[in-house]
Short mmCIF file of all heavy atoms in Angstrom, two decimals:
data_model
loop_
_atom_site.label_atom_id
_atom_site.label_comp_id
_atom_site.label_asym_id
_atom_site.label_seq_id
_atom_site.Cartn_x
_atom_site.Cartn_y
_atom_site.Cartn_z
N GLU A 629 3.94 -4.15 1.57
CA GLU A 629 2.49 -4.14 1.64
C GLU A 629 1.94 -4.49 0.28
O GLU A 629 0.89 -5.23 0.17
CB GLU A 629 2.02 -2.76 2.12
CG GLU A 629 0.52 -2.67 2.23
CD GLU A 629 0.03 -1.27 2.52
OE1 GLU A 629 0.83 -0.27 2.36
OE2 GLU A 629 -1.15 -1.06 2.84
N MET A 630 2.54 -3.99 -0.76
CA MET A 630 2.03 -4.20 -2.15
C MET A 630 2.18 -5.72 -2.46
O MET A 630 1.25 -6.32 -3.08
CB MET A 630 2.87 -3.45 -3.14
CG MET A 630 2.33 -3.39 -4.52
SD MET A 630 0.77 -2.51 -4.62
CE MET A 630 0.39 -2.67 -6.40
N ASP A 631 3.28 -6.38 -2.06
CA ASP A 631 3.45 -7.83 -2.29
C ASP A 631 2.28 -8.60 -1.62
O ASP A 631 1.74 -9.55 -2.20
CB ASP A 631 4.79 -8.29 -1.75
CG ASP A 631 5.97 -7.64 -2.43
OD1 ASP A 631 5.84 -7.28 -3.63
OD2 ASP A 631 7.02 -7.56 -1.76
N VAL A 632 2.00 -8.20 -0.37
CA VAL A 632 1.01 -8.95 0.41
C VAL A 632 -0.33 -8.85 -0.36
O VAL A 632 -1.05 -9.90 -0.52
CB VAL A 632 0.85 -8.33 1.79
CG1 VAL A 632 -0.39 -8.86 2.55
CG2 VAL A 632 2.15 -8.60 2.62
N TRP A 633 -0.72 -7.71 -0.81
CA TRP A 633 -2.02 -7.56 -1.45
C TRP A 633 -2.03 -8.26 -2.79
O TRP A 633 -3.06 -8.83 -3.22
CB TRP A 633 -2.42 -6.10 -1.58
CG TRP A 633 -2.92 -5.51 -0.31
CD1 TRP A 633 -2.35 -4.53 0.44
CD2 TRP A 633 -4.11 -5.91 0.39
NE1 TRP A 633 -3.10 -4.30 1.56
CE2 TRP A 633 -4.17 -5.14 1.54
CE3 TRP A 633 -5.11 -6.86 0.13
CZ2 TRP A 633 -5.20 -5.32 2.51
CZ3 TRP A 633 -6.13 -7.00 1.06
CH2 TRP A 633 -6.20 -6.23 2.23
N ASN A 634 -0.94 -8.17 -3.58
CA ASN A 634 -0.91 -8.86 -4.87
C ASN A 634 -1.00 -10.38 -4.60
O ASN A 634 -1.67 -11.09 -5.41
CB ASN A 634 0.39 -8.57 -5.57
CG ASN A 634 0.31 -7.29 -6.36
OD1 ASN A 634 -0.72 -6.91 -6.93
ND2 ASN A 634 1.39 -6.50 -6.42
N TYR A 635 -0.41 -10.91 -3.54
CA TYR A 635 -0.45 -12.34 -3.24
C TYR A 635 -1.85 -12.73 -2.78
O TYR A 635 -2.35 -13.76 -3.21
CB TYR A 635 0.58 -12.71 -2.19
CG TYR A 635 0.77 -14.17 -2.02
CD1 TYR A 635 1.53 -14.93 -2.88
CD2 TYR A 635 0.15 -14.84 -0.93
CE1 TYR A 635 1.70 -16.30 -2.70
CE2 TYR A 635 0.31 -16.18 -0.72
CZ TYR A 635 1.07 -16.90 -1.62
OH TYR A 635 1.17 -18.27 -1.44
N ILE A 636 -2.43 -11.90 -1.92
CA ILE A 636 -3.85 -12.19 -1.44
C ILE A 636 -4.77 -12.20 -2.61
O ILE A 636 -5.63 -13.11 -2.70
CB ILE A 636 -4.22 -11.09 -0.45
CG1 ILE A 636 -3.52 -11.31 0.92
CG2 ILE A 636 -5.76 -11.15 -0.22
CD1 ILE A 636 -3.77 -10.19 1.91
N LYS A 637 -4.59 -11.33 -3.57
CA LYS A 637 -5.44 -11.26 -4.76
C LYS A 637 -5.17 -12.50 -5.60
O LYS A 637 -6.13 -13.16 -6.06
CB LYS A 637 -5.14 -10.02 -5.55
CG LYS A 637 -5.90 -9.86 -6.87
CD LYS A 637 -5.60 -8.50 -7.53
CE LYS A 637 -6.25 -8.39 -8.88
NZ LYS A 637 -5.52 -9.20 -9.86
N ARG A 638 -3.92 -12.90 -5.84
CA ARG A 638 -3.56 -14.04 -6.64
C ARG A 638 -4.10 -15.31 -6.02
O ARG A 638 -4.67 -16.22 -6.72
CB ARG A 638 -2.07 -14.16 -6.83
CG ARG A 638 -1.72 -15.24 -7.81
CD ARG A 638 -0.18 -15.44 -7.92
NE ARG A 638 0.35 -16.34 -6.87
CZ ARG A 638 1.60 -16.79 -6.82
NH1 ARG A 638 2.45 -16.42 -7.78
NH2 ARG A 638 1.98 -17.59 -5.87
N GLU A 639 -3.98 -15.51 -4.72
CA GLU A 639 -4.37 -16.72 -4.04
C GLU A 639 -5.82 -16.70 -3.63
O GLU A 639 -6.36 -17.71 -3.15
CB GLU A 639 -3.51 -16.93 -2.80
CG GLU A 639 -1.99 -17.07 -3.11
CD GLU A 639 -1.62 -18.36 -3.73
OE1 GLU A 639 -1.89 -19.40 -3.05
OE2 GLU A 639 -1.09 -18.42 -4.84
N ASN A 640 -6.46 -15.59 -3.80
CA ASN A 640 -7.90 -15.43 -3.38
C ASN A 640 -8.11 -15.79 -1.94
O ASN A 640 -9.00 -16.55 -1.55
CB ASN A 640 -8.83 -16.28 -4.29
CG ASN A 640 -10.28 -15.82 -4.15
OD1 ASN A 640 -10.60 -14.69 -3.83
ND2 ASN A 640 -11.19 -16.80 -4.36
N ILE A 641 -7.23 -15.24 -1.06
CA ILE A 641 -7.25 -15.50 0.36
C ILE A 641 -8.38 -14.68 1.05
O ILE A 641 -8.51 -13.46 0.82
CB ILE A 641 -5.91 -15.14 1.00
CG1 ILE A 641 -4.78 -15.95 0.37
CG2 ILE A 641 -5.94 -15.38 2.51
CD1 ILE A 641 -3.41 -15.59 0.76
N LYS A 642 -9.16 -15.34 1.90
CA LYS A 642 -10.21 -14.65 2.60
C LYS A 642 -9.60 -13.67 3.63
O LYS A 642 -8.63 -14.02 4.33
CB LYS A 642 -11.12 -15.63 3.30
CG LYS A 642 -12.06 -16.40 2.36
CD LYS A 642 -13.07 -17.20 3.18
CE LYS A 642 -12.47 -18.34 3.91
NZ LYS A 642 -13.51 -19.26 4.53
N ILE A 643 -10.16 -12.50 3.70
CA ILE A 643 -9.71 -11.45 4.64
C ILE A 643 -10.88 -10.87 5.39
O ILE A 643 -12.02 -10.93 4.91
CB ILE A 643 -8.88 -10.33 3.94
CG1 ILE A 643 -9.74 -9.75 2.83
CG2 ILE A 643 -7.58 -10.85 3.43
CD1 ILE A 643 -9.13 -8.52 2.21
N PRO A 644 -10.70 -10.29 6.56
CA PRO A 644 -11.81 -9.59 7.27
C PRO A 644 -12.36 -8.44 6.38
O PRO A 644 -11.63 -7.76 5.67
CB PRO A 644 -11.15 -9.08 8.53
CG PRO A 644 -9.94 -9.94 8.76
CD PRO A 644 -9.47 -10.24 7.39
N SER A 645 -13.65 -8.16 6.54
CA SER A 645 -14.28 -7.12 5.78
C SER A 645 -13.73 -5.77 6.12
O SER A 645 -13.94 -4.79 5.39
CB SER A 645 -15.78 -7.13 6.07
OG SER A 645 -16.03 -6.99 7.47
N LEU A 646 -13.02 -5.65 7.27
CA LEU A 646 -12.49 -4.34 7.65
C LEU A 646 -11.50 -3.78 6.64
O LEU A 646 -11.27 -2.54 6.60
CB LEU A 646 -11.77 -4.49 9.01
CG LEU A 646 -12.60 -4.93 10.17
CD1 LEU A 646 -11.78 -5.49 11.31
CD2 LEU A 646 -13.45 -3.77 10.65
N TYR A 647 -10.90 -4.65 5.85
CA TYR A 647 -9.90 -4.15 4.86
C TYR A 647 -10.58 -3.63 3.60
O TYR A 647 -9.98 -3.00 2.77
CB TYR A 647 -9.01 -5.29 4.46
CG TYR A 647 -7.96 -5.64 5.48
CD1 TYR A 647 -7.96 -6.85 6.17
CD2 TYR A 647 -6.90 -4.71 5.80
CE1 TYR A 647 -7.04 -7.12 7.14
CE2 TYR A 647 -5.96 -5.05 6.73
CZ TYR A 647 -6.02 -6.24 7.43
OH TYR A 647 -5.08 -6.51 8.37
N ILE A 648 -11.90 -3.84 3.46
CA ILE A 648 -12.66 -3.44 2.33
C ILE A 648 -13.42 -2.18 2.68
O ILE A 648 -13.99 -2.02 3.78
CB ILE A 648 -13.69 -4.55 1.90
CG1 ILE A 648 -12.98 -5.89 1.66
CG2 ILE A 648 -14.43 -4.09 0.65
CD1 ILE A 648 -12.02 -5.95 0.54
N ALA A 649 -13.44 -1.20 1.75
CA ALA A 649 -14.09 0.05 2.04
C ALA A 649 -15.59 -0.15 2.36
O ALA A 649 -16.29 -0.89 1.64
CB ALA A 649 -13.96 1.01 0.85
N HIS A 650 -16.03 0.44 3.46
CA HIS A 650 -17.42 0.26 3.84
C HIS A 650 -17.77 1.47 4.79
O HIS A 650 -16.94 2.14 5.27
CB HIS A 650 -17.62 -1.04 4.64
CG HIS A 650 -16.74 -1.12 5.89
ND1 HIS A 650 -15.37 -1.22 5.87
CD2 HIS A 650 -17.09 -1.06 7.22
CE1 HIS A 650 -14.90 -1.23 7.07
NE2 HIS A 650 -15.92 -1.16 7.92
N GLU A 651 -19.10 1.70 4.95
CA GLU A 651 -19.51 2.79 5.81
C GLU A 651 -19.39 2.41 7.26
O GLU A 651 -19.75 1.31 7.68
CB GLU A 651 -20.97 3.14 5.50
CG GLU A 651 -21.11 4.07 4.31
CD GLU A 651 -22.35 5.01 4.43
OE1 GLU A 651 -23.17 4.76 5.29
OE2 GLU A 651 -22.41 5.98 3.66
N ARG A 652 -18.84 3.32 8.05
CA ARG A 652 -18.64 3.08 9.49
C ARG A 652 -18.71 4.37 10.21
O ARG A 652 -18.26 5.44 9.68
CB ARG A 652 -17.32 2.39 9.71
CG ARG A 652 -17.19 1.77 11.10
CD ARG A 652 -15.87 1.08 11.29
NE ARG A 652 -15.94 0.26 12.52
CZ ARG A 652 -16.03 -1.02 12.52
NH1 ARG A 652 -16.04 -1.71 11.42
NH2 ARG A 652 -16.05 -1.70 13.68
N GLU A 653 -19.14 4.35 11.46
CA GLU A 653 -19.17 5.54 12.29
C GLU A 653 -17.79 5.76 12.88
O GLU A 653 -17.21 4.86 13.54
CB GLU A 653 -20.20 5.40 13.40
CG GLU A 653 -20.66 6.71 14.00
CD GLU A 653 -21.83 6.56 14.96
OE1 GLU A 653 -22.07 5.41 15.42
OE2 GLU A 653 -22.47 7.56 15.28
N VAL A 654 -17.23 6.95 12.63
CA VAL A 654 -15.85 7.27 13.06
C VAL A 654 -15.75 8.64 13.61
O VAL A 654 -16.67 9.46 13.45
CB VAL A 654 -14.87 7.09 11.82
CG1 VAL A 654 -14.71 5.63 11.43
CG2 VAL A 654 -15.35 7.95 10.65
N VAL A 655 -14.61 8.91 14.27
CA VAL A 655 -14.37 10.29 14.79
C VAL A 655 -12.94 10.63 14.34
O VAL A 655 -12.04 9.83 14.32
CB VAL A 655 -14.55 10.35 16.30
CG1 VAL A 655 -13.55 9.44 17.01
CG2 VAL A 655 -14.43 11.75 16.79
N TRP A 656 -12.73 11.90 14.02
CA TRP A 656 -11.40 12.41 13.62
C TRP A 656 -10.52 12.69 14.84
O TRP A 656 -10.83 13.52 15.64
CB TRP A 656 -11.52 13.64 12.73
CG TRP A 656 -10.23 14.11 12.18
CD1 TRP A 656 -9.52 15.25 12.55
CD2 TRP A 656 -9.43 13.52 11.11
NE1 TRP A 656 -8.40 15.36 11.75
CE2 TRP A 656 -8.31 14.28 10.86
CE3 TRP A 656 -9.62 12.36 10.36
CZ2 TRP A 656 -7.37 13.98 9.93
CZ3 TRP A 656 -8.69 12.05 9.39
CH2 TRP A 656 -7.55 12.88 9.19
N ARG A 657 -9.50 11.88 15.02
CA ARG A 657 -8.64 12.00 16.15
C ARG A 657 -7.20 11.56 15.75
O ARG A 657 -6.99 10.55 15.05
CB ARG A 657 -9.11 11.18 17.31
CG ARG A 657 -8.29 11.25 18.59
CD ARG A 657 -8.78 10.36 19.67
NE ARG A 657 -9.99 10.85 20.26
CZ ARG A 657 -10.64 10.24 21.28
NH1 ARG A 657 -10.14 9.11 21.84
NH2 ARG A 657 -11.80 10.70 21.78
N ASN A 658 -6.21 12.35 16.22
CA ASN A 658 -4.79 12.05 15.88
C ASN A 658 -4.55 11.88 14.38
O ASN A 658 -3.86 11.04 13.95
CB ASN A 658 -4.32 10.76 16.62
CG ASN A 658 -4.28 10.93 18.12
OD1 ASN A 658 -4.04 12.03 18.61
ND2 ASN A 658 -4.51 9.87 18.86
N ASN A 659 -5.21 12.76 13.62
CA ASN A 659 -5.07 12.80 12.18
C ASN A 659 -5.48 11.56 11.44
O ASN A 659 -4.88 11.19 10.41
CB ASN A 659 -3.63 13.15 11.80
CG ASN A 659 -3.27 14.57 12.24
OD1 ASN A 659 -4.03 15.51 12.06
ND2 ASN A 659 -2.08 14.73 12.88
N SER A 660 -6.43 10.80 12.01
CA SER A 660 -7.00 9.64 11.33
C SER A 660 -8.39 9.40 11.80
O SER A 660 -8.80 9.95 12.86
CB SER A 660 -6.13 8.43 11.54
OG SER A 660 -5.98 8.05 12.86
N TRP A 661 -9.12 8.57 11.10
CA TRP A 661 -10.50 8.26 11.48
C TRP A 661 -10.53 7.05 12.39
O TRP A 661 -10.27 5.90 11.97
CB TRP A 661 -11.36 7.99 10.20
CG TRP A 661 -11.54 9.21 9.36
CD1 TRP A 661 -11.01 9.43 8.15
CD2 TRP A 661 -12.40 10.29 9.67
NE1 TRP A 661 -11.39 10.68 7.64
CE2 TRP A 661 -12.28 11.23 8.59
CE3 TRP A 661 -13.24 10.64 10.74
CZ2 TRP A 661 -12.94 12.40 8.54
CZ3 TRP A 661 -13.95 11.85 10.68
CH2 TRP A 661 -13.79 12.71 9.61
N ILE A 662 -10.83 7.28 13.71
CA ILE A 662 -10.90 6.24 14.69
C ILE A 662 -12.33 5.74 14.80
O ILE A 662 -13.28 6.53 14.91
CB ILE A 662 -10.39 6.75 16.07
CG1 ILE A 662 -8.97 7.30 15.99
CG2 ILE A 662 -10.47 5.66 17.13
CD1 ILE A 662 -7.91 6.29 15.63
N PRO A 663 -12.53 4.38 14.81
CA PRO A 663 -13.91 3.88 14.88
C PRO A 663 -14.59 4.23 16.19
O PRO A 663 -13.98 4.17 17.26
CB PRO A 663 -13.69 2.38 14.74
CG PRO A 663 -12.31 2.18 14.23
CD PRO A 663 -11.52 3.36 14.69
N VAL A 664 -15.83 4.48 16.15
CA VAL A 664 -16.64 4.68 17.35
C VAL A 664 -17.00 3.27 17.85
O VAL A 664 -17.33 2.39 17.20
CB VAL A 664 -17.95 5.44 17.02
CG1 VAL A 664 -18.87 5.47 18.22
CG2 VAL A 664 -17.61 6.87 16.56
N SER A 665 -16.71 3.14 19.22
CA SER A 665 -17.02 1.88 19.89
C SER A 665 -17.36 2.10 21.29
O SER A 665 -17.30 3.24 21.79
CB SER A 665 -15.78 0.91 19.76
OG SER A 665 -14.74 1.43 20.58
N GLU A 666 -17.67 1.05 22.01
CA GLU A 666 -18.00 1.14 23.44
C GLU A 666 -16.84 1.60 24.29
O GLU A 666 -16.97 2.07 25.41
CB GLU A 666 -18.51 -0.21 24.00
CG GLU A 666 -17.48 -1.30 23.85
CD GLU A 666 -17.99 -2.65 24.31
OE1 GLU A 666 -18.38 -2.76 25.48
OE2 GLU A 666 -18.00 -3.58 23.50
N PHE A 667 -15.62 1.48 23.67
CA PHE A 667 -14.39 1.82 24.44
C PHE A 667 -13.94 3.27 24.16
O PHE A 667 -12.95 3.76 24.77
CB PHE A 667 -13.24 0.91 24.00
CG PHE A 667 -13.61 -0.56 24.09
CD1 PHE A 667 -13.73 -1.33 22.97
CD2 PHE A 667 -13.85 -1.15 25.34
CE1 PHE A 667 -14.07 -2.65 23.02
CE2 PHE A 667 -14.23 -2.52 25.42
CZ PHE A 667 -14.35 -3.24 24.22
N LEU A 668 -14.60 3.97 23.25
CA LEU A 668 -14.20 5.32 22.84
C LEU A 668 -15.08 6.32 23.50
O LEU A 668 -16.30 6.33 23.29
CB LEU A 668 -14.26 5.45 21.31
CG LEU A 668 -13.76 6.81 20.76
CD1 LEU A 668 -12.24 6.89 20.87
CD2 LEU A 668 -14.21 7.04 19.34
N LYS A 669 -14.50 7.21 24.25
CA LYS A 669 -15.21 8.31 24.89
C LYS A 669 -15.00 9.62 24.07
O LYS A 669 -13.82 10.07 23.92
CB LYS A 669 -14.78 8.51 26.32
CG LYS A 669 -15.51 9.64 27.08
CD LYS A 669 -15.03 9.79 28.47
CE LYS A 669 -15.79 10.94 29.19
NZ LYS A 669 -15.31 11.12 30.58
N LEU A 670 -16.04 10.17 23.52
CA LEU A 670 -15.91 11.39 22.70
C LEU A 670 -15.51 12.54 23.61
O LEU A 670 -16.11 12.76 24.68
CB LEU A 670 -17.18 11.68 21.99
CG LEU A 670 -17.60 10.70 20.88
CD1 LEU A 670 -18.93 11.13 20.24
CD2 LEU A 670 -16.51 10.55 19.81
N GLU A 671 -14.53 13.33 23.15
CA GLU A 671 -14.11 14.53 23.86
C GLU A 671 -14.97 15.72 23.42
O GLU A 671 -15.65 15.67 22.38
CB GLU A 671 -12.62 14.79 23.56
CG GLU A 671 -11.69 13.67 24.04
CD GLU A 671 -11.56 13.61 25.54
OE1 GLU A 671 -11.42 14.72 26.14
OE2 GLU A 671 -11.67 12.47 26.11
N GLU A 672 -14.89 16.81 24.17
CA GLU A 672 -15.63 18.02 23.81
C GLU A 672 -15.14 18.49 22.42
O GLU A 672 -13.96 18.59 22.17
CB GLU A 672 -15.38 19.11 24.85
CG GLU A 672 -16.20 20.37 24.62
CD GLU A 672 -16.02 21.37 25.72
OE1 GLU A 672 -15.45 21.05 26.78
OE2 GLU A 672 -16.47 22.55 25.49
N GLY A 673 -16.09 18.77 21.59
CA GLY A 673 -15.74 19.19 20.19
C GLY A 673 -15.62 18.13 19.21
O GLY A 673 -15.59 18.35 17.99
N GLU A 674 -15.54 16.85 19.62
CA GLU A 674 -15.48 15.76 18.72
C GLU A 674 -16.92 15.31 18.33
O GLU A 674 -17.80 15.35 19.13
CB GLU A 674 -14.76 14.52 19.35
CG GLU A 674 -13.23 14.77 19.48
CD GLU A 674 -12.56 13.49 20.03
OE1 GLU A 674 -13.15 12.71 20.79
OE2 GLU A 674 -11.37 13.35 19.71
#
């Protein structure tokens, strides 16, 4: 993973904005932040 990022940085390769830290609506599930979307149904307590 480190090689990939060092190479992307060296070659200045365009990447999706998702890899860059940004504000997003998320929910805590399975010990990670899952994005809120039309496909996600919030459970009781979430």
